[in-house]
Amino acid sequence: MASDDKLIHVEVVYALPSAQRVIKLAITSDTKVQAIIEQSGVLEMYPDIDLKKNKVGVYSRNVKLDATVRDGDRLEIYRPLLADPKEIRRKRAEQAKKAAEVNNTNLTK
């Protein structure tokens, strides 16, 4: 093993609503994100993961599958969103506005 093939330690994380899977690996520093995920075995554990669709990141920052990571990094596989956060906030704001209008109407009576 050459000196640039020094092993680094990373974690691959996949979170579900009911559980979180954390897999620790020792890899060479030039190993690409996709290879790390494949080596972790998480794709066999969760066949619903599709690296063409699921985004991946390191500490909440999106990365590409051909990126490399650093020692101690946490590689995260993200599940698709069930609802658009912007749409949820818009609906909440509309509900708050309606509630305020109802309260103002009741106060003026």
Side-chain angles (χ1 to χ4, degrees):
M1 187 180 297
S3 63
D4 7 25
D5 290 344
K6 180 180 174 232
L7 293 180
I8 62 172
H9 296 87
V10 298
E11 295 179 340
V12 176
V13 178
Y14 184 61
L16 296 167
S18 60
Q20 176 177 312
R21 176 69 72 165
V22 178
I23 302 151
K24 297 181 181 198
L25 296 169
I27 57 162
T28 57
S29 59
D30 62 342
T31 306
K32 306 288 185 205
V33 167
Q34 183 167 350
I36 295 168
I37 293 170
E38 291 167 354
Q39 288 176 28
S40 75
V42 73
L43 298 176
E44 288 78 25
M45 290 181 238
Y46 301 100
D48 56 311
I49 298 173
D50 180 354
L51 293 180
K52 292 178 183 140
K53 294 180 183 175
N54 292 72
K55 293 184 185 272
V56 297
V58 174
Y59 292 117
S60 301
R61 292 180 186 256
N62 287 345
V63 296
K64 295 184 179 189
L65 293 174
D66 62 352
T68 56
V69 295
R70 294 183 288 196
D71 190 38
D73 277 353
R74 181 183 69 217
L75 182 56
E76 304 157 338
I77 303 169
Y78 306 120
R79 291 179 291 120
L81 294 175
L82 298 177
D84 180 12
K86 289 181 183 179
E87 183 65 21
I88 292 170
R89 284 192 296 274
R90 186 186 63 75
K91 285 181 180 178
R92 237 188 262 140
E94 286 176 5
Q95 289 172 344
K97 184 177 177 182
K98 287 178 185 176
E101 289 171 358
V102 168
N103 285 339
N104 287 339
T105 304
N106 290 339
L107 291 175
T108 55
K109 288 185 179 181

